[in-house]
Amino acid sequence: MAILRGKIMVLGVCGGIAAYKSAELIRLLIKQGVSVQVVMTVNATHFITPLTLQVLSDRPVCVDLFDRGMETEIGHIQVARGAQAAVIAPATANVIAKLAAGIADDYLTTVMLAVTSPVLICPAMNSAMYMHPATRRNLDILRGFGHAILEPECGELACKEQGPGRLPEPATIVEALRRLLTAPSLAGKKVLVSAGPTWEAFDPARFITNPSSGKMGYALAAEAARRQAEVELVSGPSALTPAPGITCHRVTSAAEMNAAITSLAATMDIVVMSAAVSDYRPAVAAPRKLKKDDRDLTVRFERTPDILAGLGQRKTARQVLVGFAAETENLLTNATEKLRRKNCDLIVANDLTEADAGFATDTNRVKVIYADGRVEPLPCISKTDLAALLWDRIEAVARS
Ligand code: CTP
């Protein structure tokens, strides 16, 4: 399920210009159901006020180790003990150096020395400071402690220099936290996911397609990457950006999707066909735009390759093949028939007549159908959360 929901997390904020981004980070974490305990360095309070972060996190902010009121209320060891994850964003060169040396001379460094949960460090600083051998060495020491490091992004920095050092956007930090906390249950597995619609052109200016946005497929690819699979995403036209670490192959038509998938599939452990592939394409694609006249236009359509059926024919015993079924009637009968005809191990059946399910929605409600005839209805949840439930089931089939 949603890996961040209900977690207690320490957010360390250091004194750098990027400290302002911690406000948005808290907002995003709270939205994901995380309880955020903010711990600031004194320097950080020059960049953003504890009051702002206290209001956003709905908890007192820890700054002063010798604040008697605060120590009776929370206590720094209790903060460390209660944490199920700790993230420092932004992490300055100074705090990184102190953590590497085991120095505990303020609230944040003391808590960090006592924390036993997974830790994510998000460095942000001037490029020269980031590239300095002392910082490189200190980060290597932190890696050696088992801490995850989210590399800073390149770009124009507050000091007007160009280079690495910029704190990644809060959404990227949240994704890094999801990865930190997700068990690597697909490590060593090669996974192929298809996503989005296809466009079938009948002239350079017109094509037929369907309302698929790619959200379900991109969510499945992101979850597989969090579980540390090697992920190939074959995507039809979609406005979405794949999660970090995924190899994305962008295609337009069913024929292109078929070629991309066919060349990759043989070496894959698991293939998930969540793309909404067009079943028909115009038999003739005009090289120039068709000019209109007073008559009606008749276009003849021909079949596109059924990619999933082809995968089913070539499937090896060790490969797990997952299909989707989009139905508007007789959901179970039609989806079960597709599972058999296309030789799938599991099929995810969507009822397109339901308002909160199917194309382009943020939520989905599906039934999972297994090769042995079992049918498992899943609750209506976000596509991100559903992706985790589906991978739990796909992994169970792969193990059986
Ligand atoms: N699919 C495919 N190639 C196609 C059409 C569909 O690989 N040309 C895959 C889809 O990615 C999905 C599964 O087949 O995993 C079922 O797709 P769906 O559109 O529900 O069914 P169809 O096989 O196209 O049958 P129908 O349109 O008659 O329901």
Side-chain angles (χ1 to χ4, degrees):
M1 259 312 247
I3 196 77
L4 298 180
R5 191 154 303 141
K7 292 277 189 305
I8 301 171
M9 220 175 263
V10 165
L11 167 62
V13 182
C14 304
I17 189 67
Y20 77 92
K21 287 191 183 171
S22 60
E24 176 67 3
L25 178 58
I26 294 170
R27 214 182 58 77
L28 292 185
L29 289 170
I30 299 271
K31 226 169 123 189
Q32 295 293 315
V34 177
S35 301
V36 184
Q37 176 59 62
V38 179
V39 182
M40 299 175 81
T41 63
V42 173
N43 286 348
T45 66
H46 295 297
F47 291 90
I48 189 161
T49 70
L51 184 62
T52 304
L53 303 191
Q54 175 173 319
V55 171
L56 288 171
S57 65
D58 202 20
R59 280 176 181 234
V61 168
C62 306
V63 184
D64 180 3
L65 204 48
F66 301 103
D67 178 323
R68 274 184 250 141
M70 195 77 102
E71 272 301 282
T72 20
E73 217 177 298
I74 321 175
H76 61 278
I77 295 297
Q78 210 174 314
V79 169
R81 213 181 274 149
Q84 291 164 295
V87 49
I88 307 188
T92 53
N94 183 46
V95 165
I96 288 169
K98 284 197 215 172
L99 296 181
I103 293 171
D105 66 349
D106 65 0
Y107 213 117
L108 179 59
T109 48
T110 307
V111 165
M112 292 309 293
L113 206 55
V115 147
T116 54
S117 68
V119 172
L120 175 69
I121 307 284
C122 308
M125 64 197 73
N126 162 273
S127 312
M129 292 168 76
Y130 180 65
M131 299 309 290
H132 193 284
T135 307
R136 315 297 314 153
R137 178 204 58 201
N138 291 335
L139 285 171
D140 280 343
I141 291 174
L142 296 189
R143 280 191 193 94
F145 293 167
H147 296 353
I149 313 290
L150 180 63
E151 295 293 335
E153 290 175 356
C154 284
E156 191 179 339
L157 304 172
C159 52
K160 304 286 176 252
E161 278 181 26
Q162 290 279 343
R166 202 164 61 184
L167 186 68
E169 289 309 308
T172 309
I173 299 174
V174 172
E175 179 56 28
L177 282 165
R178 281 204 194 94
R179 265 187 206 199
L180 182 74
L181 295 174
T182 303
S185 50
L186 286 171
K189 296 277 184 226
K190 288 180 169 208
V191 163
L192 191 162
V193 178
S194 72
T198 63
W199 289 358
E200 311 301 331
F202 50 96
D203 76 15
R206 303 178 183 96
F207 52 82
I208 68 158
T209 187
N210 58 64
S212 167
S213 60
K215 281 180 189 161
M216 192 67 244
Y218 278 64
L220 282 160
E223 181 62 20
R226 273 176 219 131
R227 296 178 182 211
Q228 295 194 11
E230 206 180 294
V231 185
E232 308 279 348
L233 172 66
V234 178
S235 172
S238 166
L240 302 174
T241 309
I246 291 172
T247 308
C248 184
H249 310 260
R250 293 203 182 264
V251 297
T252 305
S253 64
E256 284 172 25
M257 186 173 275
N258 190 31
I261 290 177
T262 306
S263 72
L264 291 164
T267 58
M268 294 294 138
D269 297 297
I270 303 172
V271 180
V272 182
M273 274 298 297
S274 66
V277 187
S278 183
D279 290 319
Y280 295 93
R281 67 180 161 224
V284 180
R288 286 191 188 47
K289 189 178 169 208
L290 298 171
K291 299 308 282 180
K292 68 172 175 290
D293 56 28
D294 291 337
R295 290 167 300 167
D296 290 341
L297 174 69
T298 305
V299 178
R300 195 169 66 79
F301 288 99
E302 65 184 16
R303 281 288 307 271
T304 57
D306 190 321
I307 305 170
L308 183 58
L311 291 170
Q313 279 166 11
R314 295 187 296 273
K315 183 164 88 92
T316 57
R318 52 156 210 98
Q319 191 175 63
V320 174
L321 188 57
V322 179
F324 272 66
E327 307 294 344
T328 52
E329 57 196 343
N330 303 327
L331 180 79
L332 290 183
T333 321
N334 287 342
T336 307
E337 185 275 323
K338 276 177 197 170
L339 178 140
R340 303 255 175 273
R341 182 160 47 86
K342 305 195 189 200
N343 194 22
C344 297
D345 298 287
L346 184 155
I347 207 149
V348 183
N350 257 310
D351 183 346
L352 294 185
T353 62
E354 292 187 37
D356 46 11
F359 288 134
T361 55
D362 285 326
T363 55
N364 208 356
R365 184 202 306 271
V366 301
K367 289 189 170 66
V368 177
I369 302 171
Y370 297 88
D372 62 7
R374 262 181 313 135
V375 177
E376 184 186 12
L378 296 181
C380 178
I381 46 176
S382 74
K383 286 182 174 171
T384 301
D385 291 351
L386 179 60
L389 291 191
L390 291 176
W391 276 114
D392 289 345
R393 279 135 188 93
I394 298 167
E395 283 184 35
V397 169
R399 279 194 303 270
S400 64

